Every structure is written in structure tokens, then in C-alpha cells.
Amino acid sequence: MDRQAPRPPGVIPITSHPASQPYALELPEPLTHLFGREADLAGLHDLLASGARLITLTGPPGIGKTRLALEAARAWSAAGGRDARFISLAAIDDPSLVLPTIAHGLAVQANGRAALLDRIAVATRDGPLLVLDNFEQVTVAALDVLELLNRAPLLTLLITSRARLRLGGEREWPVRSLALPRPATPPSLAALRATPALALLLDRARALQPDFALTETNATALAAICHRLEGIPLALELAAPWLRLFSPETLLERLDQRLSLLRGGAHDLPPRQQALADAIAWSDNLLSPAERLVFHQLAVFVDGWTLEAAEAVCGREQPAGGVLTALAALLDKSLILRTSEPEGTPRFGMLEMVRDYAAQELAAAPDADEIARRHAMHLATFAQEARPHLFGPDQPAWLGRLEHELGNLRAALRWLIDHGRRDDGLRLAADLENFWLVHDHLEEGQRWLEAALALNEPAAPENLARARRALAVLMLRRGDYDRARSLYQVNLVFARERDDRRLVAQTLLDLGTLDGIGGDLTRAAAHFQDAVALGRQVDDRRTVARALNQLGELARHRGDDASAAAFYAESLALWRVLAEQERIAMVLHNLGPVVHRLGDRARANALLTESLDLSWQLRNRHGAAICLIGIAGACGAGWSESTRAARLLGAADAFRASIGVQWEPVDQSEYDRSLATVRARLDEIAFDEAYRQGRNLTLAAAVELARRMLDEAAADTRASAGRAPDARRPPGGLTRREYEVIQHLALGQTNREIAASLSIAEKTVEMHVSNALHRLGLRSRTQLAAWLATRGERPS
């Protein structure tokens, strides 16, 4: 048995859980040890075990509320097998955004407050624990939290706030400073090491200076530093880097001198907040003038920043490379933090209390409004750069980048609108159209667009038209068909006056979609055909591809599967050239059931498999739900297959309800057809039980079930075609496609080479490799190849 390395005294171990655990643990992974919170964790566990559903961790900034809440949630999830999720509210100050932010964290689509509460309640029906962090700036939303708890009787909330919410049923848990060393002469080194405040200070100092040690010589000064900073974790974190520059005795002396001077301006703060504000101010005053200027200006960023963003906003007063030098110094002194974006690009941020301090300094500076203007215009430029990528092969990566910048985008839009910059506000809000749409920020996007359109300042006609169209798209998805139609009709008049045939084609397509939803199929078909003709004239392949898909929908709705298949195939060919994954997945799941009814089961299975893979990769719940409907209707007629098909239909309906959409007529017909087919194969009790089980599946579990059904159906199809199927099931619980990918990987092929060999998308290869690693509990491609070799398997 391996021996565990000893832990520092007072350290609470960071619990890790195997991937096979049945609960979801979507909490940020801590990078440091937690000190001195054993009693807090035990008390919070007892509160949760007693049935408390609303617990508020209160305390001043920097006291460690967030870190404690995360560890408490982690421990409770591990002990009880319940989901745990973390939702940060730090980047918002508008109480109306609290529910949409919670919804987004749960992949629930926002569509009006009352309906949104119901959908969040559905999404939390299994009783997860949600950590809502930094609630103090949105306390007006406390009543929304109470209503949510009433509608979701199994939901538990762990909230961090500087003050309690004052709600019925709320249990407050005050978070105190870390325990301090007791006065002793001379102090016992063993006792000091066991003191949480000093243990934290030593741990952070050693992270920067591995040979730093507690000795008889420095013990008294280190203990005094802990007392001087009142055991506040953030203050200790800020002091630790200076131990590389100063001895403990010198650091203590400088703290005493500097903080006593700074204290005079902080009498209105509670004592603990004074100590923390003093610690930040002391570090600030030790910076060089250039470093201080960048530090204060960086507070304009709400949700962190990249080096490029910092240089664009803060670089005009700095020499070449000056911002990078300042960032390195601030990082070195723990005044900023380094994280990373999804693609690995370095990203930086500040703890909220540090940013509060820097923001106050910035507000008092003469260039504060200029810095805010630069910030807004940088975000506008970034959104303009992102816009074309939101429709092509790079869509997932750019959507992720915009999500990282959401707090900054909100701040930019607010500044532009508050300063009457209508043209810039319209352009920024409209550039984000597909971001609002795909990432389910429908209500928020609509609010920004309406606010920009309501300004009285002049604006470019083309920006007005783009904003009207973006607003109509969001309204159409939210079911506000009459207002969407009005906006499209205004745009149609504008487009014809300007002889903008591209905009005419797009608007006719959108109006046709509304006609189809309203049941006027003849008028819808005419609009779609006109959109195809005009789109081809102006080489707008995206509009042509959309219109061909819509013509396929009309044909499928009429029961003309042959015509539908022809329209879908033509649309799919265009989407593959455009490499827009979301649209490829859409046409695939439209085409799959049609091809199945036309008798080509093998191709139908392949189409549905690819669509499901793409929808899962994009975490597109709507697309995945429609795909589940087609798979349920296409896969197998045996009792076992029918039971699993009923689960898929239950899951599809639950996902539809969770994102607040109604099936379009053709999708509703497909659902009804699959439902009738599956019901006919099962008795009523068996169907109802399977359907109920399906409604409780997570998206991951439903996708996994659907993949296995498709895998088995493909094997059955090969057998019925007279080809001898491989009787062996792939080892390790892998699907056949995952096993094929591993075999090619073992030959040393790259993702691109594997994709070419198997005729699948390169990103689909990435997904299969990731799934295989997860199933087998491995961490690298090398380990996958070794796993294959140890089984005596030879790559084919």
C-alpha cells in the first residue's frame, strides 16, 4: 500500500472523487489547501443533514466564504451522492440577471421570469446543491431565491454574502477569521505550526520560496504578522509574497508603520475590513508608479482579461512591453491571479475585494471615463471580430470565449447605452446575435437590443436593420411571433428600398418560418423558394442552405419523405462546405428519420449518430432532444429496445421543457409518431415507468443510452445484410466507434488522419478519444495505446 505524504497541520484534505461516481460534481477544483475550517465543515454538514435548504455564509470580504462553501458542497455531494454546482454572481450587479445566471449555469433557457422559475424547478427536481457566490450586490433578488425554493422542494442553496438575506427559513453561518497563535514566551514551534493562520502564511510563502521555514528566530515576528492582519485569509495571502523581499521582522515593522498611517482614512469600515483594506493599500503603495497605474486601470475589467485586452485598454500610457511587465509584477505580489481560457490562452483576474479597492482608486482618477471608453470599444471590436466565427467551424471556441467575457460585455453595453452611444451599442448587441441565441441568453440579449434601439441618438440605417433582425430572431425563439413579424416586415421594406437582395432573401426566409409555424404552408413555401432564388443570385450560401432545409421540413410535414430527403441532402451538402456544426447536426437529425422510413436503416443510423455526436459536443440540448426522438423511432422493435426508446422519449420531452421551447409542427409530428410506435410495443405500466425514468436522465446519460442503441442497431443491420458481424463487444465498455478510433490512434495517426480514415469530423475524433479516456479512467493518448497493447489487440 502506498504511504500518504504528511499534510501540513490544520490542513483539510482536498477530496477527489472517481469519475464513476453517480453524481455530478461541477465545482471549481481548488488549487490550494484549506486551513482551519474543520469545525465549520462539520457544522455545515450537520445543518445540511438536518434538512436546512437555505444556508448563507456571511462575513467580511477576504474571510474565505467562497473557499469554505466550495469545500462544504464538495463534501456534502460526496457523502450524499447529490449534484453540486457552483454559480458565481460576482460579475453581475443587476438583480434581474440572477435567475438567468442560475438558469444558464444549469443549461436552462431563459424566457421570462415566471416560466424561468418553473424551468429551473424542473431542472433541479433531483435536489442538487447550488452554491450561489457573491450575493451581496444583488440582495434585491432574495425574494426570487425564496420563490425558487418554494417551487423546487428538493433544492438546497448554499449562499455566500457579506450579510444575510433575511428570508424565512434562512440559516446563517458566520465565517470567522482563522485561529491566531496564542501569546507564549518563547512560542512553541509545534503549537505555531498547528495554528491555521500561521499554517496558511507558511504554506503560501513556501509556494513562492520553497526553502522558507519557521524557526526559533522568526517565530515571534510571523505570529505577530498573523495578529496584525487579524487572521484574514486574503490579507495573509497578500502578505506572503513580501517574505521573499523582507525578513519577517522587517515585514512586520513595515506593516505596523504603513498600516497605522493608512488606518486614518478607513474609520467607516468594520475592524476586520479595515485590516484587509489596509493590507491591499499597503501592497499598492509599494508598487512602482507604472505598476500602480496599470493595477488601478485593470479594475475596469469585470470578468478578468487577456494580455491583449490589458494592452488595448491600459497600454497607451506605458512603453512597449510595459503592460506585460506590470502584469508580471502584480502577479508576483498576488494582487492579480492567473487563470486560462478554454483554448489555453493566459487570462488574468482579481479577487473581488482587491478589485473593489482598485476600482475606487480608478474612480478617483481623472482618466476614469476614458479608461471605461477604451474598455467598451475594445469589447465592441472583440465582438465584431467574433461575429463571423459564430457561424462556422470555429463556433464552439468563439462561443466559449464570449462566455468568458460576458461580464465585460455587459459593462461595455451599459457604458455605451448610458453615454448615448447608440450606433456602437446597436452594433455590439447585434454582433452578439448568435451568442445570445446559442448560449441561451435570449432574454438578456433582447433587453440590450431594445435598450439600444430606444435611444434617440442617430444611428447608421444598416446597424438599425441588423439590430432589428437580431431582436426578431430572439423574439421568434421565445415565442413572441407577432412582434418578431413586425420587425421582419420593417426590415423587408428597408431592404427593398436599399435594393439589398441579401437582406431581402434572409428576411423572406424568416417570414416564411413564421408562416410555417402559423400553419400557412403555401405562403411559407413561396417565401422559401424566393429566398433560395435570391440567395443563389447573391451567392449567400447560408441563406440557401437554411431555405432548402425549411423546404425539406415542409415536405416532411406533408408526408412526402422522398422530396424531404432531396431538400435535406442539398442543404446538408452546403452546410458541410460552410462547416457550421450546429446546422449540420440540425439537418442530420431532420434527415435521419426520413431516410429510415425510406428503408435505408444503415444510413439513418449513421446520420443520427453523427448528429448526436455534434449536438453533444456543442452541448446543444435542443438539437440532442430532437435527435433522441429520431433514434427512439428508428432503433429496434424488441421489448428491450422499446423500453430504452421510451426512456429516450421521456428524456427528450424533459429537455424540451427545461429549455422552454415548443416543438415546431414537423418535430411534434415526429415525436407523436415515435411515441405511438413505442407505446404499441409495450404495455401501459412498462411504458409509463420507462418514460418516467427517461425524464430523470441527465443529458450525458441520455446521450450514452442513445449511442449504445445506435451501436447495437448498426450491428443488427450488418447482420441482416448478410455480413458476418463481429460477435465480440468492444472491451472496457467502449462503443464500437470509440474502439475503432483507439485502434487508429495506436497506429500513431493524428486526429486529422483518423478522421480521414473513418470519414468523420476531426472534432468527432476528439470527442471519441475524450469519451474513451473517461470510460477507461486514463489520462493520455499514450495510455490508450498502451491499454490496447496490454489486451493483446493489434490495431487493424
Side-chain angles (χ1 to χ4, degrees):
M1 178 181 295
D2 293 336
R3 296 180 60 187
Q4 288 186 328
R7 292 198 305 270
V11 173
I12 297 172
I14 299 172
T15 310
S16 61
H17 309 293
S20 59
Q21 288 281 24
Y23 51 84
L25 195 63
E26 299 193 11
L27 302 172
E29 280 296 328
L31 301 177
T32 57
H33 293 298
L34 180 63
F35 290 84
R37 297 301 189 189
E38 295 89 347
D40 289 298
L41 288 173
L44 288 169
H45 183 277
D46 290 345
L47 270 181
L48 290 165
S50 72
R53 299 179 54 225
L54 174 59
I55 303 173
T56 305
L57 279 65
T58 60
I63 207 70
K65 300 184 294 293
T66 300
R67 184 69 174 82
L68 175 58
L70 285 170
E71 196 62 38
R74 191 179 306 280
W76 177 245
S77 181
R82 297 173 65 181
D83 289 358
R85 308 252 179 154
F86 177 82
I87 298 173
S88 174
L89 305 176
I92 66 172
D93 56 12
D94 182 351
S96 68
L97 292 177
V98 170
L99 286 178
T101 301
I102 294 172
H104 188 67
L106 298 171
V108 173
Q109 184 166 329
N111 191 17
R113 179 184 173 280
L116 182 56
L117 278 166
D118 289 334
R119 288 199 292 280
I120 295 174
V122 170
T124 56
R125 61 187 177 275
D126 294 332
L129 172 68
L130 301 186
V131 177
L132 302 184
D133 192 41
N134 286 106
F135 207 90
E136 57 271 358
Q137 72 271 24
V138 287
T139 53
V140 175
L143 292 178
D144 287 339
V145 167
L146 183 61
E147 189 170 352
L148 176 58
L149 287 169
N150 289 334
R151 298 196 192 194
L154 298 180
L155 174 64
T156 301
L157 296 179
L158 200 57
I159 293 176
T160 72
S161 177
R162 297 181 190 178
R164 68 189 187 93
L165 277 57
R166 301 184 182 277
L167 296 175
E170 179 185 17
R171 303 294 296 272
E172 182 181 6
W173 189 270
V175 182
R176 312 294 184 187
S177 296
L178 295 177
L180 294 164
R182 294 182 179 180
T185 308
S188 161
L189 294 187
L192 287 176
R193 288 192 186 95
T195 304
L198 187 51
L200 171 63
L201 182 62
L202 289 172
D203 180 77
R204 302 307 190 258
R206 286 177 184 140
L208 301 168
Q209 188 178 352
D211 60 350
F212 187 85
L214 175 68
T215 67
E216 296 284 356
T217 303
N218 64 22
T220 300
L222 288 172
I225 290 171
C226 293
H227 279 276
R228 188 68 186 82
L229 298 176
E230 301 191 32
I232 299 173
L234 179 54
L236 294 167
E237 298 260 8
L238 291 170
W242 295 105
L243 288 169
R244 286 189 301 176
L245 181 62
F246 302 126
S247 69
E249 294 78 10
T250 304
L251 177 58
L252 175 62
E253 180 183 356
R254 286 176 171 264
L255 279 171
D256 279 334
Q257 292 172 354
R258 179 62 68 177
L259 299 193
S260 63
L261 292 173
L262 293 171
R263 178 74 72 186
H267 287 310
D268 58 331
L269 292 176
R272 284 194 179 91
Q273 291 192 40
Q274 289 181 28
L276 179 55
D278 289 348
I280 299 170
W282 180 78
S283 290
D284 181 32
N285 277 274
L286 286 178
L287 298 173
S288 71
E291 292 165 357
R292 288 193 74 210
L293 182 63
V294 172
F295 175 42
H296 298 165
Q297 290 179 348
L298 288 171
V300 75
F301 291 99
V302 178
D303 243 0
W305 63 88
T306 62
L307 173 60
E308 177 188 13
E311 289 178 332
V313 176
C314 311
R316 298 189 188 180
E317 294 80 12
Q318 302 296 327
V323 171
L324 179 59
T325 301
L327 288 178
L330 296 173
L331 192 65
D332 197 45
K333 296 171 179 65
S334 296
L335 287 169
I336 65 173
L337 308 171
R338 176 175 172 172
T339 57
S340 64
E341 296 197 324
E343 67 271 24
T345 303
R347 189 174 180 85
F348 307 89
M350 293 183 192
L351 293 173
E352 279 306 298
M353 184 57 183
V354 176
R355 182 175 175 270
D356 286 347
Y357 169 87
Q360 290 175 19
E361 296 294 309
L362 175 61
D367 63 345
D369 203 52
E370 167 61 15
I371 297 302
R373 186 197 67 80
R374 291 184 205 168
H375 174 266
M377 297 314 297
H378 170 73
L379 269 296
T381 300
F382 176 69
Q384 189 174 23
E385 180 188 0
R387 183 183 172 221
H389 299 287
L390 300 182
F391 300 93
D394 298 328
Q395 181 186 59
W398 280 88
L399 288 172
R401 292 181 67 184
L402 288 170
E403 194 65 51
H404 259 62
E405 298 293 354
L406 182 54
N408 287 315
L409 290 165
R410 287 167 172 161
L413 283 162
R414 173 51 56 208
W415 189 89
L416 292 171
I417 289 170
D418 286 350
H419 287 72
R421 303 282 290 261
R422 189 186 191 202
D423 215 31
D424 293 324
L426 288 169
R427 188 169 58 250
L428 174 53
D431 281 341
L432 297 173
E433 173 191 328
N434 222 35
F435 170 68
W436 304 131
L437 191 69
V438 178
H439 268 210
D440 300 328
H441 297 297
L442 305 183
E443 186 174 9
E444 181 176 356
Q446 179 174 332
R447 287 214 318 257
W448 288 121
L449 285 159
E450 287 177 333
L453 284 166
L455 293 173
N456 292 323
E457 282 70 15
E462 54 271 20
N463 287 336
L464 286 166
R466 286 185 52 230
R468 284 193 298 264
R469 183 183 186 282
L471 181 57
V473 168
L474 299 179
M475 287 177 170
L476 192 155
R477 177 65 64 87
R478 299 185 70 202
D480 193 348
Y481 300 135
D482 290 340
R483 292 176 68 195
R485 183 181 291 278
S486 296
L487 289 166
Y488 284 135
Q489 288 172 337
V490 171
N491 263 12
L492 185 60
V493 172
F494 169 79
R496 284 175 169 160
E497 287 176 348
R498 300 284 290 262
D499 193 26
D500 186 340
R501 289 180 294 169
R502 180 180 293 265
L503 182 57
V504 169
Q506 293 170 353
T507 309
L508 288 174
L509 171 58
D510 294 324
L511 286 168
T513 301
L514 284 168
D515 291 332
I517 290 172
D520 191 342
L521 304 188
T522 301
R523 188 176 181 185
H527 281 325
F528 296 149
Q529 289 162 355
D530 288 344
V532 170
L534 273 174
R536 284 175 170 154
Q537 287 178 22
V538 297
D539 194 28
D540 184 354
R541 290 179 294 177
R542 193 172 189 278
T543 294
V544 173
R546 286 181 60 210
L548 288 169
N549 176 71
Q550 291 296 82
L551 286 167
E553 295 282 82
L554 293 182
R556 179 158 61 124
H557 190 63
R558 294 193 307 266
D560 185 355
D561 284 338
S563 296
F567 282 125
Y568 288 144
E570 192 175 356
S571 175
L572 181 60
L574 282 173
W575 285 124
R576 289 201 187 279
V577 171
L578 296 169
E580 192 168 327
Q581 295 181 51
E582 180 194 12
R583 296 291 174 165
I584 292 172
M586 174 192 70
V587 181
L588 288 168
H589 69 56
N590 291 342
L591 181 57
V594 169
V595 169
H596 183 266
R597 284 194 293 273
L598 291 173
D600 193 342
R601 291 181 57 194
R603 184 171 176 235
N605 288 345
L607 295 168
L608 291 169
T609 297
E610 185 181 359
S611 179
L612 187 67
D613 287 347
L614 289 172
S615 295
W616 169 250
Q617 180 187 327
L618 293 167
R619 297 300 189 268
N620 185 331
R621 295 165 71 86
H622 185 234
I626 297 176
C627 209
L628 296 180
I629 295 171
I631 295 168
C635 287
W639 186 90
S640 174
E641 289 83 354
S642 295
T643 300
R644 292 187 294 177
R647 292 190 188 120
L648 294 187
L649 291 172
D653 190 54
F655 297 147
R656 177 202 59 76
S658 75
I659 56 178
V661 301
Q662 296 296 323
W663 301 128
E664 291 189 16
V666 67
D667 295 322
Q668 184 65 54
S669 297
E670 203 67 64
Y671 179 82
D672 293 342
R673 183 184 290 111
S674 294
L675 191 69
T677 300
V678 174
R679 273 190 178 278
R681 297 171 184 163
L682 298 170
D683 62 65
E684 185 174 352
I685 294 176
F687 174 85
D688 289 345
E689 175 60 19
Y691 191 87
R692 183 194 64 77
Q693 292 173 356
R695 290 189 63 82
N696 290 320
L697 290 175
T698 64
L699 180 62
V703 168
E704 174 67 14
L705 175 61
R707 279 180 180 150
R708 293 196 176 280
M709 291 178 66
L710 286 165
D711 195 35
E712 293 170 13
D716 291 343
T717 300
R718 287 195 296 270
S720 63
R723 295 190 298 272
D726 184 356
R728 298 177 302 164
R729 297 288 298 157
L734 301 175
T735 66
R736 294 183 187 278
R737 180 62 89 184
E738 289 163 358
Y739 193 57
E740 286 177 332
V741 168
I742 290 179
Q743 288 183 308
H744 284 272
L745 182 150
L747 292 171
Q749 290 185 346
T750 65
N751 285 358
R752 179 172 296 180
E753 291 167 340
I754 296 172
S757 299
L758 299 178
S759 300
I760 57 178
E762 190 172 343
K763 288 189 178 292
T764 303
V765 174
E766 293 177 9
M767 182 194 64
H768 286 313
V769 171
S770 176
N771 289 339
L773 288 168
H774 175 75
R775 290 186 209 284
L776 299 175
L778 303 177
R779 291 178 296 183
S780 69
R781 297 165 67 96
T782 302
Q783 289 181 340
L784 277 175
W787 175 85
L788 189 69
T790 58
R791 298 189 56 83
E793 301 281 351
R794 295 180 60 84
S796 54

